[in-house]
Amino acid sequence: MVELDRCCGGVPFVVDAQVHGWDGRPHNQAGPAGEQFVADLHHRHRMVDPSPRPLSSDAFGLVTPDALAAHVLSAVDRAVLVPATYDDLFVLGFAAPAWHAELAEEHPGRLVLAGEIDPADRDRARGIGGQVARGGFRALNVLPARRPETAVPLHAPWLRRTLIRAEQAGAAVVHLGVAPTARPPEGAPDWAHAGVVEAGEAAPRPRWPSWAEPVRAGSALPVRARTAGPLPAGSVDVAEVRELAAALPRVRFVLGAASAPTAALARLARLPNVYVLLTDLLIALRRNPEPAAVALGELLAAYGPDRLMFGSGYPLVRPARLIRDLMTFRYPESLRGAYPELDDDVREALLGGTAARLYGLDLPHSPSTTGAPAPRPVAAGRAPRR
């Protein structure tokens, strides 16, 4: 973090609460839909990453231990690996927990592991307590439905029971809809769409091929099984989140800032176990500054710094420039005095203090983590790459 210290006059301990270690290389893509998904992600990276040199398609397609060290761990103290297997798009999984475990083995003590629940695959959620214990997970990511026919309401009784068992096993943090997306979901605030597509460009969503189900491992050819349809970006139903968070007060829920309109997210702040990850909002501060500054001010007023967290979404965006932007951010003149100021204590909480407390991280000499519970082992035993 030496470079950041020179740039910003001193940076607090930083926790990147949204990092994905993925494998989107061609041999792992299950048919045209997987190829299109990676292409759209890379297009978004080239548009929104503030670093002067975008990642090449090859470097973007696979997150290696060396790339993680160079792009993330050189700028932050800890990072939370958020999985998104998408095994209907990728033969071996996209950002699979097994690959995350191998990355954590290469960087002991620096990475926090999370598991995942795909609401469309109830069978995989069985034995979640054992999965949490074996994987050393401190969090779970509940993936958004990518097809209407696989959508599962968050108030489904089996999902509530699963989250309770996970919390009892040690994964008391649940990310809702926090996954790599090529564009913000429908209903996201206007600031979230800035820079995702170029001026005048249409924004078609990736679609399933009309003729096939994506190839499964061991299959010689695709098999026609489902109808074609759009692959929506991650989003949440605010009413369902409110009901779920009220029913499970011991579980802490983390939402993306672009997962719902800002006003709706602000109303959720009445529930003390709801947190917001600022990934998309921090990206927009550079590309759409005034609307994004208004959204940041409204969320800061509603949640306070103790329930807002920094995240980069790497590899979509490398964290160093986002940290600089947040450290040097000032409200536009037209907004001065309208929202809580970002003083040193607020910036320290946003950049790492809140996440350290939420995940039980022990960051030495960090006053924001005083009294935090002792962390469980960050790196699980080496899991085989499937």
Side-chain angles (χ1 to χ4, degrees):
M1 299 184 67
V2 175
E3 181 183 356
L4 291 174
D5 287 340
R6 288 198 302 266
C7 166
C8 304
V11 176
F13 281 97
V14 180
V15 179
D16 190 333
Q18 186 186 359
V19 171
H20 310 287
W22 65 46
D23 183 354
R25 293 174 294 177
H27 74 270
N28 195 28
Q29 297 165 4
E35 180 182 10
Q36 185 65 54
F37 184 79
V38 175
D40 283 356
L41 285 177
H42 188 236
H43 176 68
R44 184 184 180 192
H45 161 73
R46 292 177 63 87
M47 296 194 68
V48 303
D49 188 284
S51 302
R53 294 182 180 178
L55 297 173
S56 68
S57 58
D58 289 341
F60 186 80
L62 176 67
V63 177
T64 64
D66 289 345
L68 198 66
H71 299 150
V72 178
L73 299 180
S74 62
V76 309
D77 296 278
R78 306 287 172 86
V80 180
L81 291 174
V82 180
T85 297
Y86 293 161
D87 58 4
D88 43 6
L89 299 178
F90 298 90
V91 177
L92 301 177
F94 187 49
W99 181 231
H100 284 180
E102 292 195 22
L103 291 173
E105 278 282 303
E106 297 294 331
H107 300 289
R110 301 292 301 279
L111 301 173
V112 177
L113 294 175
E116 70 176 340
I117 296 177
D118 187 341
D121 191 352
R122 181 173 177 177
D123 290 339
R124 188 181 295 178
R126 298 184 188 279
I128 191 65
Q131 295 177 39
V132 168
R134 289 190 299 272
F137 301 145
R138 301 193 196 192
L140 292 177
N141 186 29
V142 178
L143 291 174
R146 295 179 300 285
R147 289 180 167 204
E149 64 265 31
T150 63
V152 174
L154 294 178
H155 54 69
W158 73 265
L159 183 57
R160 288 190 184 184
R161 293 194 297 269
T162 299
L163 297 182
I164 290 172
R165 295 190 187 103
E167 183 271 327
Q168 292 171 343
V173 181
V174 172
H175 292 242
L176 293 177
V178 176
T181 55
R183 53 187 55 82
E186 290 183 4
D190 291 340
W191 55 259
H193 297 269
V196 176
V197 294
E198 295 170 348
E201 179 188 358
R205 287 210 179 100
R207 297 183 66 86
W208 291 93
S210 59
W211 48 268
E213 173 76 359
V215 179
R216 298 283 182 175
S219 298
L221 292 171
V223 178
R224 187 182 180 109
R226 297 180 184 174
T227 59
L231 296 176
S235 61
V236 298
D237 184 317
V238 173
E240 289 184 356
V241 173
R242 183 183 300 109
E243 183 179 348
L244 184 63
L248 303 178
R250 292 173 58 88
V251 178
R252 277 75 60 84
F253 293 92
V254 178
L255 307 177
S259 64
T262 302
L265 282 183
R267 288 193 292 271
L268 283 176
R270 300 168 187 168
L271 295 166
N273 57 332
V274 175
Y275 293 69
V276 174
L277 189 60
L278 299 175
T279 304
D280 296 273
L281 184 53
L282 297 177
I283 293 171
L285 280 176
R286 179 181 287 255
R287 305 190 66 90
N288 202 7
E290 187 153 343
V294 170
L296 178 59
E298 290 180 355
L299 291 177
L300 192 58
Y303 286 87
D306 293 333
R307 287 194 286 152
L308 300 177
M309 294 187 296
F310 167 80
S312 68
Y314 176 83
L316 283 176
V317 177
R318 285 161 283 188
R321 291 291 179 103
L322 292 184
I323 296 170
R324 288 190 184 92
D325 289 348
L326 186 57
M327 288 295 294
T328 58
F329 171 77
R330 298 291 184 274
Y331 289 110
E333 190 65 37
S334 60
L335 300 177
R336 296 285 171 84
Y339 300 109
E341 286 296 330
L342 273 72
D343 58 22
D344 290 344
D345 290 340
V346 170
R347 295 179 205 276
E348 181 178 354
L350 298 183
L351 283 170
T354 298
R357 204 165 46 248
L358 185 66
Y359 293 101
L361 304 180
D362 183 16
L363 298 182
H365 313 302
S366 174
S368 295
T369 61
T370 302
R376 299 166 65 230
V378 170
R382 179 177 291 274
R385 184 76 174 108
R386 294 182 295 162

